[in-house]
Amino acid sequence: PRPYLGDPKYTIEVLQKYNFAFQKRFGQNFLIDTHVLDKIIDSAQITKDDFVLEIGPGIGTMTQYLAEAAREVAAVEIDKTLLPILDDTLKDWDNVTVINNDILKVDIRQLALEKNQGRPIKVVANLPYYITTPIIMGLFENQVPVDSITIMVQKEVADRMQVGPGTKDYGALSLAVQYYAKPKIVANVPPNCFMPRPKVGSAVIRLERYEKPPVEVKNEKLMFRIIRASFNQRRKTLVNGLKNSQEIPFSKEQIEQALGMCGLSLSVRGEALTLAQFAQLANAFTEIS
Ligand code: SAM
């Protein structure tokens, strides 16, 4: 078998055959560009040893490519009206399992255990934009064994994952992603590569998981609480952001002491801190509490 979807002619044929109605609430924009598909498969670095989890296969466009490249693929799709279509478009590949569920309700750790003996899996997806962040954070925080995540996201979100301090896109997502993985944008994808066309540009980003985070943190949960608190009130100083947060159990004096230990000015804003500085700050709090 050869992948054939991605050619708009076949995509339209399949959609018409099944009289498929796009559902906006599921973020359905199907890829119709074979160059982009090749690029995704290429940068995901999939081999015949790999088990791949695909999130949101749609009509199976990328799934066909993944099935060709990988040992085994599991594709989780929420929209049950796509099931008969996937049965049809994937009938030539015997290494694909379609799971009809909401990805946020799937126990991916269990899936990796069953399908890959708990070894690190590769995740590939053209994500519905409304659940990008919870999916990525879920994969990183819930101790799912992940080797890399190669995903299509809104261009602006890809930028946010990649940037450092001093840009308006820098925020909690940047820091969370960069604590767990090395991000790299591998392609920019314009709206005309999808059917129907989305309103915004997209990008493919590859997140390669670190074996060990690039900074040492004694209390990860505390560091992420500090990060969230400092970006929740972007225009406030770090001291005020931390003081006003329900999640931060420290007094004004303790906060000032911790900043002092890190050589940070009391007027500094959270958005100016690097990941290494947030780690240092979290460690200072751990030391004084
Ligand atoms: N992979 C296909 C492609 O590239 O053409 C489809 C991509 S489309 C942007 C997103 C897909 O994710 C849709 O098929 C949609 O139904 C599915 N989806 C949306 N929310 C989901 C969820 N919570 N869990 C699993 N799949 C979901």
Side-chain angles (χ1 to χ4, degrees):
R2 283 274 162 269
Y4 60 88
L5 289 166
D7 179 331
K9 188 178 95 192
Y10 290 115
T11 296
I12 291 166
E13 213 174 274
V14 168
L15 293 173
Q16 284 179 344
K17 178 171 167 195
Y18 289 91
N19 206 3
F20 179 74
F22 286 98
Q23 296 240 37
K24 232 192 169 135
R25 71 191 162 115
F26 292 141
Q28 293 175 337
N29 301 94
F30 299 157
L31 263 169
I32 46 163
D33 186 303
T34 55
H35 297 294
V36 173
L37 285 155
D38 285 335
K39 184 80 197 174
I40 295 173
I41 299 301
D42 201 43
S43 43
Q45 297 174 23
I46 296 158
T47 71
K48 273 289 164 195
D49 284 335
D50 286 322
F51 167 74
V52 176
L53 167 66
E54 186 190 8
I55 303 167
I59 59 171
T61 308
M62 192 151 70
T63 324
Q64 293 184 338
Y65 285 72
L66 293 170
E68 277 300 298
R71 184 191 84 238
E72 200 180 339
V73 180
V76 177
E77 175 54 62
I78 196 169
D79 183 355
K80 66 175 183 331
T81 68
L82 285 165
L83 299 182
I85 303 183
L86 288 164
D87 260 350
D88 184 356
T89 59
L90 299 173
K91 63 177 180 302
D92 291 337
W93 289 270
D94 60 6
N95 58 345
V96 183
T97 316
V98 173
I99 301 167
N100 179 212
N101 202 348
D102 178 344
I103 187 63
L104 297 176
K105 294 188 182 138
V106 175
D107 184 344
I108 302 172
R109 222 156 70 106
Q110 183 60 33
L111 192 68
L113 204 63
E114 278 166 28
K115 299 280 193 181
N116 212 33
Q117 290 87 48
R119 283 178 289 129
I121 64 169
K122 290 184 173 157
V123 178
V124 181
N126 172 8
L127 285 187
Y129 294 152
Y130 71 106
I131 45 168
T132 305
T133 302
I135 289 178
I136 293 174
M137 295 328 296
L139 286 168
F140 285 145
E141 282 170 2
N142 301 333
Q143 284 154 8
V144 177
V146 176
D147 166 277
S148 64
I149 306 177
T150 307
I151 40 169
M152 176 91 68
V153 297
Q154 217 170 306
K155 169 78 176 103
E156 186 213 317
V157 174
D159 289 339
R160 261 193 267 156
M161 291 181 192
Q162 253 205 169
V163 295
T167 56
K168 70 163 176 33
D169 288 332
Y170 187 55
L173 182 66
S174 327
L175 285 152
V177 164
Q178 293 164 28
Y179 178 70
Y180 291 108
K182 192 172 96 191
K184 186 173 180 230
I185 293 180
V186 294
N188 286 314
V189 185
N192 64 5
C193 295
F194 301 91
M195 183 184 294
R197 292 183 188 197
K199 287 201 181 69
V200 293
S202 305
V204 180
I205 189 164
R206 176 180 153 87
L207 308 175
E208 199 178 323
R209 179 146 199 172
Y210 292 124
E211 268 173 43
K212 219 172 97 234
V215 293
E216 249 178 78
V217 188
K218 295 195 188 78
N219 185 341
E220 268 178 27
K221 280 217 172 77
L222 175 62
M223 180 178 75
F224 283 113
R225 271 193 250 136
I226 294 171
I227 290 173
R228 275 195 299 272
S230 43
F231 286 100
N232 267 348
Q233 300 187 302
R234 240 176 210 275
R235 268 163 295 173
K236 292 231 165 86
T237 60
L238 180 56
V239 175
N240 280 330
L242 295 177
K243 224 176 53 194
N244 296 343
S245 164
Q246 306 289 329
E247 284 193 299
I248 303 291
F250 301 109
S251 68
K252 184 163 183 261
E253 288 68 35
Q254 284 174 312
I255 293 170
E256 293 182 355
Q257 187 190 349
L259 259 72
M261 289 165 73
C262 301
L264 293 169
S265 139
L266 296 184
S267 62
V268 77
R269 284 162 200 251
E271 63 194 8
L273 270 61
T274 62
L275 174 61
Q277 286 174 312
F278 275 114
Q280 195 190 9
L281 186 59
N283 291 341
F285 277 118
T286 307
E287 212 176 301
I288 61 174
S289 60

